[in-house]
């Protein structure tokens, strides 16, 4: 049995008391089904839940040593929760899933087969998902934009449901980004990667914690972390505005020569001044986003702060 590979299933949770029981049953059944192929451990990262999620994890950890968990001192965000979870896994490979069971853990069998073939990253590609047309279109456009302007291709319609090799986890540990965007971070590392299409299910219980505002914030993180296009926008925009200004100067000089009594207008001047101020503020904001990320790296802000842990000793804590 010890010769079988250990697969860590990493599950970030936040107020998931309605899903924990059903999730554990599915994971336990999966462990039984795949007993001849691999060993499993279940690693939870609790993002400072305010319901009974942590107490439920305590009960599971007390009766099942495969259940390991860390609890943060506050809510550090979804991406940081995933990163911290990765760093506390022990497996030869790590499968990351959400607690709401929209991503089927049983797909581990297919992921594992590809991992054995030598792929270091096997990610799920959503063929369909139960959500409204607006949010679906919004998400689709966002993925397209991030992929188009990113320095390296980022798989579209792929979330954080993936199996990653221990080599990838070790490489991630060296990154320690204060604001990680794991889809882009892992995509940009190279390694052998492949996608598996699947149909996403509806949530078992509870409601999604990821609304439009969270999607926008995640999208901006992806853009600023993995694209130089916003920075280069300042240079391009400056050249365009200088060119327009030069053309406008020539245009007004010609009018002045042809029509000596051409009236001087304040409206156009005011509009140009306001446009210039607004545009400079936009560019300063873009520069500020990059400077903020540099500042966070320099001050060595932790990914998360662990308040409690289950079935982990002090030597296992890496934050």
């Amino acid at each position: 049995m010890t010769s079988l590979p250990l697969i860590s299933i990493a599950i970030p949770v936040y107020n998931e008391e309605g899903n924990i029981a059903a999730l554990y049953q599915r994971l336990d059944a999966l462990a039984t089904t795949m007993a001849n192929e691999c060993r499993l451990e279940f690693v939870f990262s609790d993002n400072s839940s305010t319901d009974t999620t942590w107490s439920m994890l305590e009960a599971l950890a007390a009766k099942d040593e495969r259940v390991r968990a860390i609890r943060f001192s506050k809510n550090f965000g979804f991406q940081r929760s995933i990163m911290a979870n990765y760093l506390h896994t022990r497996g030869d490979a790590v499968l990351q899933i959400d607690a709401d069971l929209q991503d089927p853990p049983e797909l581990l069998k297919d992921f594992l087969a590809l991992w054995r073939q030598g792929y270091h990253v096997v990610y799920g590609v959503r063929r369909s998902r139960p959500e409204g047309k607006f949010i679906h279109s919004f998400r689709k456009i966002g993925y397209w934009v991030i992929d188009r302007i990113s320095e390296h291709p980022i798989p579209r319609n792929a979330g954080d449901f993936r199996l990653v090799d221990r080599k990838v986890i070790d490489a991630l540990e060296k990154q320690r980004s204060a604001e990680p965007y794991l889809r882009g971070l892992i995509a940009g590392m190279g390694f052998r990667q492949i996608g598996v299409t699947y149909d996403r299910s509806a949530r078992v219980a509870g409601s999604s914690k990821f609304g439009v505002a969270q999607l926008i914030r995640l999208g901006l993180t992806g853009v600023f972390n993995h694209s130089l296009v916003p920075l280069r926008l300042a240079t391009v925009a400056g050249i365009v505005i200088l060119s327009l200004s030069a053309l406008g100067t020539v245009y007004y000089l010609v009018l002045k020569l042809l029509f000596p009594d051409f009236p001087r207008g304040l409206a156009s001047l005011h509009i140009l001044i306001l446009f210039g101020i607004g545009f400079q503020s936009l560019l300063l904001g873009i520069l500020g986003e990059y400077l903020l990320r540099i500042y966070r790296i320099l001050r060595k802000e932790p990914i998360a702060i662990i308040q409690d842990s289950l079935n982990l000793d002090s030597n296992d804590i890496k934050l």
Side-chain angles (χ1 to χ4, degrees):
M1 290 295 292
T2 55
S3 63
L4 294 175
L6 174 64
I7 307 298
S8 301
I9 300 184
I11 313 109
V13 294
Y14 176 67
N15 291 346
E16 296 288 357
E17 61 183 3
N19 292 311
I20 294 296
L23 172 65
Y24 177 74
Q25 289 179 1
R26 292 270 291 272
L27 295 179
D28 186 46
L30 179 64
T32 302
T33 302
M34 302 193 66
N36 294 325
E37 297 183 54
C38 63
R39 297 171 293 131
L40 297 182
E41 69 169 2
F42 316 129
V43 185
F44 294 84
S45 55
D46 183 8
N47 221 340
S48 192
S49 296
T50 56
D51 60 4
T52 61
T53 295
W54 184 250
S55 60
M56 295 178 73
L57 292 177
E58 287 179 319
L60 290 175
K63 71 175 184 178
D64 189 345
E65 62 180 9
R66 297 173 301 177
V67 176
R68 307 168 77 232
I70 51 177
R71 176 176 171 82
F72 304 144
S73 60
K74 66 174 185 177
N75 192 324
F76 283 91
F78 185 60
Q79 291 292 296
R80 287 192 183 191
S81 179
I82 297 174
M83 175 68 93
N85 205 336
Y86 277 163
L87 299 181
H88 289 86
T89 58
R90 300 174 298 182
D92 301 294
V94 179
L95 174 70
Q96 197 271 311
I97 64 172
D98 293 341
D100 55 20
L101 289 172
Q102 288 187 280
D103 302 319
E106 292 79 11
L107 207 58
L108 172 62
K109 188 176 183 65
D110 297 332
F111 284 14
L112 192 63
L114 290 168
W115 176 69
R116 291 183 187 277
Q117 293 177 24
Y119 289 98
H120 299 97
V121 179
V122 185
Y123 55 86
V125 179
R126 299 155 180 165
R127 183 166 42 218
S128 63
R129 55 189 305 160
E131 62 182 2
K133 290 184 178 180
F134 171 77
I135 195 72
H136 176 75
S137 301
F138 186 81
R139 194 190 303 271
K140 189 174 182 179
I141 293 172
Y143 282 147
W144 181 84
V145 170
I146 294 173
D147 180 43
R148 293 292 294 179
I149 68 175
S150 178
E151 296 178 73
H152 42 259
I154 297 178
R156 300 185 192 178
N157 298 319
D160 294 300
F161 180 42
R162 65 174 79 85
L163 178 76
V164 293
D165 187 83
R166 173 53 55 183
K167 292 179 181 178
V168 180
I169 301 296
D170 292 340
L172 281 174
E173 187 172 4
K174 296 176 182 178
Q175 296 285 332
R176 292 300 181 101
S177 172
E179 285 290 338
Y181 180 70
L182 290 169
R183 301 172 200 178
L185 199 56
I186 293 175
M189 284 183 172
F191 294 105
R192 295 189 64 195
Q193 307 195 19
I194 190 172
V196 176
T197 57
Y198 73 104
D199 296 308
R200 208 167 195 226
S201 306
R203 287 180 63 92
V204 172
S207 58
S208 175
K209 318 297 188 303
F210 230 70
V212 174
Q214 287 76 18
L215 282 175
I216 292 175
R217 182 177 178 180
L218 181 63
L220 290 175
T221 300
V223 169
F224 290 124
N225 280 20
H226 300 280
S227 177
L228 296 177
V229 171
L231 277 176
R232 289 171 179 161
L233 175 65
T235 303
V236 174
I239 293 173
V240 171
I241 290 177
L242 285 175
S243 300
L244 291 176
S245 299
L247 290 174
T249 301
V250 173
Y251 174 72
Y252 279 110
L253 285 174
V254 171
L255 287 179
K256 188 67 176 178
L257 290 173
L258 294 177
F259 306 98
D261 297 328
F262 187 79
R264 297 179 179 179
L266 293 176
S268 57
L269 183 62
H270 290 168
I271 290 172
L272 288 173
I273 291 174
L274 291 174
F275 174 77
I277 293 173
F279 197 77
Q280 287 180 18
S281 298
L282 172 63
L283 298 182
L284 286 174
I286 292 173
L287 292 173
E289 288 289 339
Y290 284 96
L291 288 174
L292 174 62
R293 281 156 174 79
I294 295 172
Y295 167 69
R296 285 178 171 172
I297 292 173
L298 290 177
R299 75 178 185 181
K300 297 182 179 180
E301 182 177 327
I303 297 172
I305 300 173
I306 295 178
Q307 175 179 304
D308 299 301
S309 64
L310 301 171
N311 286 340
L312 282 86
D313 57 37
S314 59
N315 294 327
D316 294 328
I317 303 299
K318 295 186 178 181
L319 299 179

